[in-house]
Amino acid sequence: MRRIQCDIEVKWPLQVVFSDRLFDPKNPSLRDVLVPSPGQPRARALMVLDASLAAAKPDCVRLIRSYFLAHSDRVELVSSPSILPGGEAVKNSTALVEEIHSQIERHHIDRQSYLIAVGGGALLDVAGFAAATAHRGVRHLRVPTTTLSQCDSGVGVKNGINAFGKKNFIGTFSPPWAVFIDCSFLDTLPPVHKRAGFAEAVKVACIRDAEFFRDLERDAPFLRAFDPEAIRRLVHRSAELHLQHITSGGDPFEMGSRRPLDFGHWVAHKLEQVSEFRLNHGQCVAIGVALDTLYSCRAGFLDEASGQRVLSLLEFLGFELFTEELMRLNEKGEHLILTGLSEFQEHLGGQLNITLPRQIGVGVEVHEMDRGLILQCTEALQGRSSAREPARSLT
Ligand SMILES: NC(=O)c1ccc[n+]([C@@H]2O[C@H](COP(=O)([O-])OP(=O)(O)OC[C@H]3O[C@@H](n4cnc5c(N)ncnc54)[C@H](O)[C@@H]3O)[C@@H](O)[C@H]2O)c1
Ligand SMILES: [Zn+2]
């Protein structure tokens, strides 16, 4: 027998640029990251644009075309931006992936050209997957345009679509070439989607950064009123923390079973599916964070007062922390939410790894969860929700 053991190392440069008015011709940041193929004067790019964004900002396409015209010495947009539907439904089939593949083929986008996706996390997940699988990997740029995708998914290295009733069952790890966070896109978002990203920010603050958690508490009245500057502070710090985890966490492609930033997500992913996506990712993350926070208190990891701070902040920001889907049973009379725990473990592979808050800003990993205690926590959330008066302040 002969065995060759070697390590394959790949360096993956990633730029995350925080810049407003990305398509203002005077803003060079987008042009500057588009590097032409060797021997070519201009970089070639295909752009897909979220239809809801295009509808909400009717001059968006004109602005984008003017931008590329103004920089036509360096960059070429191979066609007018392709307006494609966004929202979770596009992740539930392969149709949009095929559409983007066919555009990549039609416009001769090669491995030295770019696919630029502008939109919400769902369209970005689909476009990232299409880019990663065309020619085994076309460079892609992400321009997230929702709070959630700017806070979290847009700066990540994952993409994917849903299949077999399971979230993100098909997908790859594939870092984008660059990400642009432009908070000026957020002003046209409906409130429910503006709020959704707050859940990911609270999530990461709870387990990584006590000071950020205090900042969120301080900013809560402004966030509740969707003040753009408060949202900008939230987005920037949350994106930084997610990025820090990817670049310094030691496992960017999640080869192990650890998923430290997925606090609350075993519940969230199951709730999205059980609610048939009536509840969006952010709403489900808020419920998941609340449930796992209560669990952490009852299991003796987190003190009661800190747990209350987390729940109160989420409620004050406008999240409902109970939904009847938490109580749904399957045909065998089992709680559907509990099957989510096994599915989450299968998705990670290997050992169950759940992150819970140990104190505000610090997480702890557990490898088992007591199913009876989980159900007690769902009942506690139900009781809390029916007794709750609308919160006027955080104190
Ligand atoms: N890849 C990852 O690492 C990762 C991480 C977290 C979440 N996600 C995924 O992200 C998805 C959720 O993303 P999302 O919260 O951005 O939701 P979304 O993509 O569904 O967008 C919400 C809605 O807003 C519209 N929209 C987008 N930008 C707009 C704008 N500026 N103005 C008006 N409307 C606009 C979209 O068309 C959609 O209808 C989920 O599928 C989730 O699983 C992925
Ligand atoms: Zn999430």
Side-chain angles (χ1 to χ4, degrees):
M1 185 185 93
R2 182 164 176 248
R3 187 201 308 268
I4 299 177
Q5 173 77 45
C6 52
D7 293 318
I8 298 176
E9 279 191 27
V10 182
K11 262 238 176 286
W12 222 311
L14 164 63
Q15 305 177 60
V16 179
V17 182
F18 296 84
S19 177
D20 273 6
R21 290 180 296 282
L22 188 61
F23 299 122
D24 180 335
K26 292 199 249 8
N27 184 342
S29 49
L30 175 60
R31 179 204 65 192
D32 288 350
V33 305
L34 296 170
V35 183
S37 304
Q40 296 298 317
R42 301 190 300 170
R44 302 180 72 249
L46 169 70
M47 184 181 286
V48 295
L49 187 63
D50 195 307
S52 301
L53 172 71
K57 291 192 185 294
D59 63 342
C60 189
V61 170
R62 186 188 56 77
L63 266 176
I64 291 168
R65 290 168 68 135
S66 314
Y67 185 89
F68 280 87
L69 270 179
H71 298 286
S72 57
D73 55 326
R74 288 274 305 275
V75 293
E76 175 195 353
L77 198 59
V78 295
S79 70
S80 187
S82 173
I83 297 174
L84 299 178
E88 192 65 30
V90 302
K91 286 181 63 172
N92 288 332
S93 87
T94 54
L96 204 58
V97 177
E98 286 161 20
E99 170 60 28
I100 298 173
H101 278 161
S102 87
Q103 294 196 24
I104 288 175
E105 191 275 333
R106 194 168 347 126
H107 295 293
H108 307 288
I109 294 297
D110 59 23
R111 288 171 49 83
Q112 313 267 334
S113 316
Y114 301 83
L115 174 71
I116 307 176
V118 184
L123 179 64
L124 262 47
D125 267 0
V126 173
F129 179 60
T133 47
H135 295 301
R136 298 198 176 109
V138 163
R139 293 173 180 172
H140 79 285
L141 263 68
R142 293 195 190 142
V143 184
T145 63
T146 61
T147 11
L148 190 136
S149 56
Q150 294 191 349
C151 275
D152 178 341
S153 58
V155 294
V157 295
K158 298 187 261 187
N159 57 54
I161 57 172
N162 309 327
F164 309 108
K166 292 176 180 161
K167 282 277 293 180
N168 305 322
F169 187 84
I170 301 176
T172 73
F173 287 88
S174 173
W177 182 260
V179 181
F180 292 89
I181 310 280
D182 175 349
C183 290
S184 67
F185 282 117
L186 304 179
D187 54 8
T188 53
L189 266 181
V192 67
H193 292 301
K194 264 191 191 158
R195 184 179 300 114
F198 299 173
E200 299 281 10
V202 172
K203 169 206 79 178
V204 73
C206 278
I207 51 170
R208 282 293 156 97
D209 188 344
E211 195 182 327
F212 182 37
F213 191 87
R214 281 190 293 276
D215 291 345
L216 292 174
E217 287 182 317
R218 188 203 59 220
D219 268 349
F222 304 101
L223 290 167
R224 187 154 106 145
F226 301 123
D227 172 71
E229 284 312 308
I231 295 182
R232 180 189 306 275
R233 289 191 286 276
L234 171 146
V235 161
H236 284 206
R237 185 63 188 143
S238 178
E240 263 169 32
L241 287 167
H242 281 92
L243 194 60
Q244 226 171 57
H245 168 69
I246 292 161
T247 53
S248 329
D251 189 16
F253 286 4
E254 299 176 359
M255 309 294 258
S257 316
R258 297 187 62 232
R259 209 59 48 85
L261 293 196
D262 272 358
F263 165 38
H265 276 60
W266 70 269
V267 183
H269 285 163
K270 192 65 191 171
L271 277 182
E272 283 184 81
Q273 181 220 331
V274 176
S275 75
E276 294 173 355
F277 303 99
R278 175 183 69 80
L279 298 170
N280 69 35
H281 185 71
Q283 290 170 309
C284 295
V285 169
I287 297 170
V289 164
L291 184 62
D292 278 356
T293 298
L294 267 186
Y295 182 93
S296 192
C297 291
R298 293 184 177 200
F301 297 111
L302 182 70
D303 67 280
E304 203 57 49
S306 299
Q308 286 309 314
R309 277 174 71 192
V310 177
L311 267 59
S312 301
L313 177 59
L314 289 167
E315 284 170 346
F316 187 80
L317 292 174
F319 290 106
E320 284 294 336
L321 301 186
F322 177 77
T323 176
E324 57 84 19
E325 282 88 352
L326 281 174
M327 301 306 203
R328 283 261 187 99
L329 305 178
N330 65 13
E331 62 288 349
K332 293 186 205 149
E334 299 158 338
H335 281 84
L336 273 170
I337 197 72
L338 295 181
T339 62
L341 198 55
S342 327
E343 287 169 12
F344 190 72
Q345 178 171 4
E346 189 180 318
H347 188 65
L348 304 182
Q351 205 178 24
L352 180 67
N353 260 283
I354 300 286
T355 303
L356 300 174
R358 185 157 62 79
Q359 61 188 62
I360 300 260
V362 183
V364 59
E365 282 185 17
V366 300
H367 306 298
E368 265 172 51
M369 284 186 90
D370 178 325
R371 283 158 164 78
L373 197 54
I374 294 173
L375 295 179
Q376 282 178 28
C377 295
T378 59
E379 281 160 20
L381 284 179
Q382 185 175 32
R384 185 179 172 103
S385 144
S386 46
R388 189 164 78 93
E389 298 280 323
R392 293 190 206 293
S393 78
L394 263 182
T395 49

